[in-house]
Amino acid sequence: MHSFADAIDIGAAEDGSLRTGQAAVWHDPSGRADLSAALQALEQGEFRPLAGAGSTGLRKGSYWSLFILRNTTDSSVPIHLEYVDHQLIRLQAFASASVDTPHFLELANLAMGESFARRPVFHNRFVVPVVLASGTSEAFLVRFDSEEVGFVFPSMRIWSPDALSKSHTGETAVLSFLFGGIALISLFSLIVGVTTREWSFFAYFVYGISKIVAWGTILGFTHQYVLPDGFHWSYMSAAGAVSILCGLVFDRLFLQTRKYTPRLDLILILMMVNAGVLLGSALLQIKAVALMSITFALLLYPAFTVIALVRWRQGSSEAVVFALGWTLLLAGLFYQALRDLGYVEHNLVNYYLPPLSSFIEMVTIMAAMGMKLRRLRLQGLESERQYRRHLEQSKVKLEGLVRARTEELEKAKQQAELEARTDPLTGIRNRRSFLSDAELCIKRAQRRGEPVSLLMFDIDHFKSINDNHGHGIGDEALRQFSVTIQRKIRETDVFGRLGGEEFALLITETRPDSLYTAERLRDNIAQIRLRCPEGCVQFTSSIGVAHGSTDESVETLLRQADHALYCAKERGRNMVVEYSEQSSSTAGSAETPLNPEPV
């Protein structure tokens, strides 16, 4: 077994980045092989690495994929195996608890035509839930069947259940945004069509709605939310055929090919006939004909760009914008074709690139239609009313710009206020902000009858750090010092930089607790390590502690804590010294003024 597939190590937080199934793949041209036939092919060494970037290409039959998953954690891990694409008719999964002597049992048998309620996981793509016991490995055989002929991606993403649920929610939200945008554009086109009596706007409305139906059906959301029972693959081809047909009708009306380019209009008529064949083959469930019709339609799609450029040369200014939008759609569809043929690796980006490019096409063509509408306005009898409407739109736009500018100014004001209160190097409060917040905290504690203590820190021998290792290391020491303190204190505590290497912390704790906190912080500071070319730099801190009474201000506490800090330095540094009235009277001349606020 190991000669065919290497084990994939999994954990409890898989995010879909790991994929399975491309190291050992077997092609069953008949599409009728069962599990015993697959195991026989495995024994005969017919499983091979998949050629290409992930797709089997347009081939008949089914594909079997072998892979091994290994739980490297100390507990059982639930995972979800998600098929990477949507256009798959059936997926069967088998598992064996023994890797060396496999005995496979069926895990799941999922089919597109079955009721959506039978799926073990609520997802628009096939998902197989699996639970791996701690420290065990399991072998899996997965059968991918597209029936008759189709593109298959014999690979599955590995997710934790929560991660897959979040990803699915995100995908659904993005598609809802895209579909909502197309719906709004279509509705706007309908309103303009009613106003101007221009048929191309009505056709564009129908085209937009057909796009929503087509992509929702192709990506599996119609089956998930609209038709949970009795869904069939032919619905995807039928929805695509209707969307292509609606697009052709709109293009002929918009570009006026029948009037201005009658010869090129024959190509569009041919494409309409082909779309009818696609619709008929979908209704009759002839999959091979449907695939050939779709391929033929894609081959003729570049003709739209050529026709639009010809109309632009004839004087239709909006035709060049139409050509740009259609070219963007072609780019997305061409990239999808490269993915389906196995030249480009399958991922979520190119998976959703076609509907995204379709959305961009709608927006771009809407701009072209706006140009056409403008031309009709100027030529029509309703120019005065349309001019007033334009002024109203300008007013709304100006109000939006004013609001946006107001918001920018407000953000700038908030940023300036934040910068005025923040030390630029460490990101904590500066001296002025600390004094203000600490004063408020003391008054609040006095009203509540809570004790307060002020801790003043000084980094020992900080000048030697700058002298021996440079100011860059010194700045990093200040930052790491600040980060260490912030991580160990509460959000209600007030912490700030007074200047240089001096910092202050105001806490609402009793005398014993505040001393314990000071010792704990001193120990945490001593554990800081800074890497530099000369080696590892570490430093300590001296701490002076002052305790507040009912009528003391923050300035008084600062002077007392500064005196205690001076005593800590005199006694050898790297220690906590508590302020007392006795020590103050004994060494009153030893008090030092507070450092000025840093610039």
Side-chain angles (χ1 to χ4, degrees), residues 91-162:
L91 184 145
Q92 288 179 276
F94 305 86
S96 173
S98 175
V99 176
D100 297 320
T101 57
H103 178 65
F104 287 91
L105 298 176
E106 187 176 78
L107 281 179
N109 190 349
L110 308 175
M112 181 182 292
E114 294 179 349
S115 173
F116 198 89
R118 296 186 60 184
R119 297 192 180 186
V121 178
F122 188 76
H123 201 284
N124 59 304
R125 295 184 288 275
F126 289 144
V127 178
V128 178
V130 176
V131 177
L132 293 181
S134 171
T136 62
S137 298
E138 287 193 28
F140 295 85
L141 268 176
V142 181
R143 176 176 178 258
F144 305 89
D145 189 6
S146 60
E147 291 188 1
E148 296 182 17
V149 63
F151 299 100
V152 174
F153 302 86
S155 179
M156 304 188 78
R157 297 188 187 94
I158 304 175
W159 298 86
S160 67
D162 289 341

Side-chain angles (χ1 to χ4, degrees), residues 278-297:
L278 173 60
L279 180 59
S281 62
L283 296 177
L284 296 175
Q285 300 182 9
I286 307 175
K287 190 173 185 180
V289 177
L291 288 173
M292 287 189 294
S293 298
I294 293 176
T295 303
F296 185 66

